[in-house]
Amino acid sequence: MSDQAPGASYAPALETPRSPYRRSKSTRTNWELYGWLFMRMSGLALIVLVFGHLFVNLMLGEGIHQVDWGFVAGKWSSPFWQVWDLLMLWLAQLHGTNGVRTVINDYAERDATRFWLKMALYLATTIVIVVGTLVIFTFDPCADPNSTLEICRTAGANVPTITD
Amino acid sequence: MSTFETSPRETNAEAGPAKSAETARSGKGKVAPRPGGSESKTGEIPSFDITVRLRRYDPEQDTEPHWEDYHVTAHGTDRVLDALHKIKWEQDGRLAFRRSCAHGVCGSDAMRINGRNRLACKTLLKDLNIDKPILVEPIKGLPVEKDLIVDMEPFFAAYREVMPFLITKGAEPTRERIQSQADRERFDDTTKCILCAACTSSCPVFWTDGQYFGPASIVNAHRFIFDSRDSGSDLRLEILNDKEGVWRCRTTFNCSEACPRGIQVTKAIAEVKQALIARKF
């Protein structure tokens, strides 16, 4: 039982579970609104893009056994598949990044932790998007000089040096 | 207080036939006048022993909260609040919890019962699993002051921020502000809120980020945004468009499940989101 004298020092009250409520500034932008809309729109687009991609690669023709260097070279010689894959790459990356950003916002408790986690996330996203985009547009099916691909043999016969 | 009966516990569903069979055997008529003494069995309502496991915290003695068990004999008609009363009145008067009307109207006694936010005055003990201890904790996400009492100020601060009052424009009408039944129906669901904080303190986003407005504020903003007599909806929508506004909702439906008034909280939040998008495009 308590033998605490009035005015004696009490144990401190329980700490607030997280930073106290303070909202002086208002974010007068529609950033979160656009982020929310983008998640829905890109999600719908990705359903078509990803399942279309899987269907063409795995269901049509010989299925999984057809997928090799030559198959990818064939696809990327067409602007249609270049655009398709580019869209898929960008939307999937941005969709995923935005998702992880909300997870970090929800669960990182300290401001510094939140900031650095997000910086790491944005860096990773930028690297993947830049490298991926570069590959889609600068892909050279005949990068290997010993390539046995038909396109490289004919091209090699006519033009000895490929400067594509 | 902690006498346990060895006989199988009666559940409410079996109470009817079991009771009549018992009375038939013992030859006691139902209409027999109750003996004047206090040894009557409370009108033969089935009683059972329960264990209530309370999250106790006394800031003057404890450094952190801890669980404590209390054994109570309760009746089939008792609510969790009755069990808390028994504990406070008969076992430990230091127990602190809020309750005012005790009939599900004032919204004072929202607490976490068996891991779910409920009003203690609307939760019947017979609806819980009485074979196990019944866990009663303060609602989460708000600072605990003592036992089951939390500091509600952050909750009300967020509530005030959405301006939960009628904002009008132009000259005041000489008669009342007329509204059609259909217009009234539009926001009927969100008028039911009793500000018990069961929804807000069930929201995982609110648990980790106290800056989030929380479901209750959005519900009360919704009540005015969709009121045809109100002309401040643009202001409120602007406030809820904040980084910490409706877009932090992850639609986990915890709030809809927790609401003791059955308000479709997540639906209300979604309608505010739609209104924001409709306003923008």
Side-chain angles (χ1 to χ4, degrees), chain A residues 3 12-14 42 46 50 52 64 71 79 92 122 146 152 162:
Chain A
D3 45 21
L14 265 200
S42 60
L46 279 168
V50 170
I64 183 73
F71 179 77
Y122 297 153
N146 302 321
C152 301
I162 297 162

Side-chain angles (χ1 to χ4, degrees), chain B residues 25 36 44 62 73-74 106 117 126 135 139 148 169 262 275 278:
Chain B
R25 263 200 308 278
E44 293 179 313
D62 307 329
T73 304
C106 71
N117 283 2
K126 71 178 179 65
L135 273 63
I139 46 180
L148 301 175
K169 235 183 5 210

